[in-house]
Amino acid sequence: MYLMLVGILAASVTYLTGLKPPGGMWRGDGNGHSAGNPVLYDTNKLRYNVFFYSNSISFVASVIVITLLLLRTMLLPATAMVLGPIHAAMVLDMLFLLVAYAAGSVRDSHRSWKVIMLFPAVVLVVFVFFFVSRKQTVSRNQTEKAEESTVDGGEKGECKRPQLYPDHSS
């Protein structure tokens, strides 16, 4: 459920910033610009392009996450879909949302390094949390396997742990 919540939130944010990009829109024609065009496009095309493409990628990634989660919900009884690709799409979504924020939020070029430094910091934090959680999952699985081997291989008269999904192949 948390993935669906984050996916919908990211889709909403990217959709709204696509409708009203940073810097706003020109209100009137004149000085080489047209009413309704993004101000950032006319003032700094490179920053606008970085914002536009990273915001678009983030939007598409969030729609993919939502779609995969809906498919998983509908197909779960028939097949168990792994969450790995969904997590990867969500990380991609959040990283490109950060890039769009960085490109659209800084007005002065001498301050842009502060926002740009957020990107490696966030990526580092994501990888640290990933490896810590991965290590905890591996150690938890090893502990559960050790417990199962002592319960399943016990003496006669001992209770075995019931299976939640018994094997119907026999």
Side-chain angles (χ1 to χ4, degrees), residues 44-140:
N44 191 334
K45 286 184 183 180
L46 176 64
R47 273 189 41 220
Y48 177 77
N49 284 333
V50 170
F51 163 77
F52 177 78
Y53 288 114
S54 58
N55 192 58
S56 298
I57 291 170
S58 180
F59 179 73
V60 169
S62 60
V63 170
I64 288 171
V65 167
I66 294 167
T67 305
L68 287 175
L69 287 171
L70 288 174
L71 282 174
R72 184 175 188 265
T73 303
M74 293 183 325
L75 299 176
L76 187 61
T79 137
M81 189 183 287
V82 294
L83 288 175
I86 299 172
H87 283 133
M90 184 56 71
V91 168
L92 179 76
D93 181 11
M94 292 296 116
L95 291 177
F96 276 100
L97 189 59
L98 180 64
V99 171
Y101 169 77
S105 66
V106 178
R107 301 272 185 245
D108 301 330
S109 60
H110 69 278
R111 291 187 189 167
S112 63
W113 68 270
K114 293 177 182 178
V115 177
I116 292 170
M117 290 307 294
L118 285 175
F119 187 75
V122 169
V123 171
L124 178 67
V125 168
V126 167
F127 279 117
V128 166
F129 279 118
F130 173 76
F131 287 117
V132 167
S133 67
R134 183 100 170 144
K135 185 177 179 182
Q136 289 175 350
T137 303
V138 167
S139 66
R140 186 180 326 126

Side-chain angles (χ1 to χ4, degrees), residues 2 10-11 16 20-21 26 34 47 63 70 78 88 118-119 136 138 146 149 158-159 161 167:
Y2 71 93
L16 290 175
K20 187 176 179 184
W26 292 110
S34 302
R47 273 189 41 220
V63 170
L70 288 174
L118 285 175
F119 187 75
Q136 289 175 350
V138 167
S149 67
E158 287 188 25
C159 294
R161 187 184 329 187
D167 185 17

